[in-house]
Amino acid sequence: MRKLALLFPGQGSQYIGMGQDLLGRSATARAVFAEANDVLGFDLQALIASGSSEELTRTENAQPALLTVSIAAFRVYMEEIGVEPAYSAGHSLGEFSALTCAGVMTFQDALRLVKRRGQLMQEAASEGIGAMCAIMGSDSSRVEEACQRASISEHQEVVISNYNSSGQLVISGHRIAVEEAARELEGLGARIAFLQVSAPFHSPLMKGAANQFKDELDSYTYSPFQWPVISNVTGKPYESPDQVVGCLTEQLTSPVRWDWAMKLLVEQGVNIAAELGSKQVLTQLMRTDAKSIVCYPYEKAAELDLLQKELEVDKLEQARQKASNNVVTKCLAAAVCTRNRNWDLEAYEQGFVLPYRQVQRLQEQLDENGDPPTQAQMHEALKLLKQMLDTKMVPEQEQHERFADILKKTGTTALFPEFSPDSWVIA
């Protein structure tokens, strides 16, 4: 089975009318926008459909708007295709989309966080004081040197804010310093393009915003990852939810290492990707430094058809793997794979045979419907397994290992803390 990556764009990809194709064809997408309207307290859909470009570009509006379009695209993708990724990654703001889709934060929490993030970033730099400029056709050492020459004090500073690809860097900071560095690089043969953003992201000007945003991040809870998400700061997958606050805080002042993220995907054998959100910026970057990965922008229905055909076999294989790798199935396997030490036939009938038949019936229902088990069904299977193992007089240490294996392999440890071996007392 091929390795898939899901990619989520960041600020700068917004435009009036984005997401309209999704809204037109999917009730699921419309429900996402309705949910966003309720959380944000204003009509986001109207702003995107018919508002002014200037208003949409304002950071506190652009961030929840881009997040919403990406979440809508993801939910439609899961509904229409449904192949889970080997990795996901989001560019700057897009990292919130990636974390949300991987189950680390709820959509409602992500909306509140990115709206607050946008407000803090907007406030951190007075209107017009900062700027960002893309630099094409110049190497990183030359750009770093130009930034150093243009940075003469803490009131005139510019840094590399985005390592997007080998052919594209972005500089950010005080407008006067950004313009000076950009002019120098243009004179040396580079192409430059000032970005449509309202604040100098990923630069020292965001330090005040980062300090306040950390306090905001600390007030939320974060769940385990359903699949790996690559951090913009490290260019590596998060190791645990405990890293979320630190990485998202540091991301505001540190450069986006998208080049590292793409290199990691290539090294890990990813060979197909989908860009879930507005425009095709990340798809174009993949074609520069990750030519071995075929990337499909998901915004247009035509690309959806191509992606569906590409992933048809993978979808069937992933469904087959899930069917044989769920809690109910593994409880059945664990029940029969353990040695029996109880030869009281009546006790064995009541404590093992009858519970085993109950779990079998659960599995038969799942096979018939083709659905994954619900949390209630998984809980019932685990409870019955505990009864069966106790009846077989399986030692506590062996039971500990059985439950640890089931919960780890099915990624359900956080769902069932009462069955987690960490909660048992082993003599």
Side-chain angles (χ1 to χ4, degrees):
M1 199 166 95
R2 289 168 301 178
K3 284 189 175 181
L4 168 73
L6 296 181
L7 309 178
F8 301 89
Q11 201 160 344
S13 287
Q14 72 278 353
Y15 67 92
I16 294 297
M18 63 180 180
Q20 295 307 297
D21 185 70
L22 284 170
L23 287 166
R25 78 172 196 259
S26 171
T28 296
R30 293 191 290 274
V32 171
F33 273 81
E35 189 177 353
N37 289 349
D38 289 342
V39 173
L40 297 171
F42 67 91
D43 194 339
L44 179 66
Q45 188 173 338
L47 172 62
I48 293 173
S50 56
S52 70
S53 180
E54 292 74 20
E55 189 66 16
L56 179 61
T57 297
R58 289 189 63 83
T59 303
E60 65 266 34
N61 293 329
Q63 296 201 16
L66 286 162
L67 172 76
T68 300
V69 172
S70 282
I71 300 305
F74 171 77
R75 291 186 182 174
V76 173
Y77 163 85
M78 290 303 292
E79 190 175 76
E80 295 178 337
I81 297 180
V83 176
E84 292 186 359
Y87 294 91
S88 64
H91 190 283
S92 188
L93 164 75
E95 191 167 325
F96 287 83
S97 303
L99 291 167
T100 301
C101 295
V104 179
M105 59 181 71
T106 67
F107 178 42
Q108 294 89 343
D109 285 352
L111 280 168
R112 296 183 184 100
L113 279 168
V114 300
K115 182 170 177 59
R116 183 58 179 151
R117 179 180 185 262
Q119 290 170 340
L120 291 170
M121 292 169 78
Q122 191 74 53
E123 293 165 2
S126 304
E127 201 71 41
I129 195 174
M132 298 182 74
C133 183
I135 310 295
M136 285 78 69
S138 184
D139 61 55
S140 58
S141 59
R142 182 173 291 177
V143 176
E144 286 168 2
E145 290 169 2
C147 288
Q148 289 171 3
R149 282 190 287 271
S151 301
I152 59 174
S153 73
E154 63 178 15
H155 304 295
Q156 183 178 321
E157 191 171 6
V158 56
V159 296
I160 297 179
S161 59
N162 301 68
Y163 292 82
N164 289 335
S165 72
S166 58
Q168 184 190 108
L169 302 170
V170 178
I171 58 176
S172 177
H174 293 92
R175 178 173 294 277
I176 187 171
V178 171
E179 290 174 345
E180 185 175 321
R183 280 196 303 271
E184 177 183 332
L185 291 163
E186 188 177 32
L188 294 172
R191 289 177 292 116
I192 66 171
F194 282 86
L195 303 189
Q196 190 183 12
V197 294
S198 58
F201 312 143
H202 311 294
S203 78
L205 275 72
M206 293 293 108
K207 187 174 180 181
N211 292 336
Q212 294 180 72
F213 192 50
K214 182 181 184 302
D215 294 337
E216 188 77 16
L217 288 164
D218 279 330
S219 67
Y220 289 80
T221 57
Y222 307 97
S223 301
F225 289 77
Q226 293 177 14
W227 49 75
V229 175
I230 301 173
S231 163
N232 281 204
V233 173
T234 66
K236 297 177 182 178
Y238 282 88
E239 294 178 1
S240 80
D242 294 339
Q243 292 181 305
V244 170
V245 172
C247 283
L248 292 182
T249 300
E250 190 176 345
Q251 192 212 70
L252 285 177
T253 54
S254 295
V256 172
R257 295 306 311 228
W258 193 250
D259 56 340
W260 288 350
M262 295 304 96
K263 182 181 178 185
L264 182 138
L265 293 180
V266 171
E267 290 174 346
Q268 293 303 311
V270 169
N271 45 26
I272 188 168
E275 181 173 2
L276 302 183
S278 177
K279 290 188 177 179
Q280 304 179 23
V281 172
L282 303 182
T283 301
Q284 296 299 328
L285 292 176
M286 295 282 280
R287 290 169 182 167
T288 301
D289 286 351
K291 292 183 174 69
S292 61
I293 302 175
V294 179
C295 190
Y296 292 87
Y298 196 72
E299 190 177 28
K300 303 298 182 184
E303 296 290 346
L304 164 64
D305 293 338
L306 291 171
L307 188 61
Q308 281 180 318
K309 290 174 184 175
E310 285 283 349
L311 293 175
E312 197 169 329
V313 174
D314 302 76
K315 182 177 182 178
L316 293 172
E317 176 62 18
Q318 200 168 82
R320 186 194 67 77
Q321 289 179 1
K322 282 186 177 181
S324 62
N325 191 39
N326 68 62
V327 167
V328 176
T329 307
K330 288 193 172 295
C331 283
L332 282 173
V336 298
C337 288
T338 50
R339 176 186 167 194
N340 178 40
R341 297 171 174 83
N342 183 356
W343 303 109
D344 182 330
L345 294 182
E346 184 177 350
Y348 190 81
E349 175 73 20
Q350 294 298 315
F352 182 85
V353 176
L354 293 181
Y356 186 80
R357 288 174 180 163
Q358 286 179 262
V359 182
Q360 271 188 320
R361 284 194 291 273
L362 269 179
Q363 184 63 56
E364 287 166 2
Q365 291 172 12
L366 297 173
D367 292 341
E368 184 178 343
N369 298 330
D371 295 328
T374 65
Q375 187 168 339
Q377 288 171 324
M378 290 188 285
H379 185 273
E380 180 69 9
L382 289 165
K383 185 175 70 172
L384 291 169
L385 175 62
K386 185 72 172 75
Q387 181 182 345
M388 288 186 279
L389 296 183
D390 286 343
T391 298
K392 278 190 165 185
M393 297 182 179
V394 177
E396 286 286 290
Q397 182 60 42
E398 186 178 345
Q399 290 196 35
H400 178 288
E401 292 166 359
R402 293 284 183 188
F403 279 96
D405 182 67
I406 291 170
L407 296 176
K408 180 180 179 181
K409 287 184 176 177
T410 58
T412 55
T413 303
L415 290 178
F416 306 109
E418 67 271 39
F419 292 105
S420 172
D422 291 340
S423 66
W424 297 7
V425 177
I426 306 284

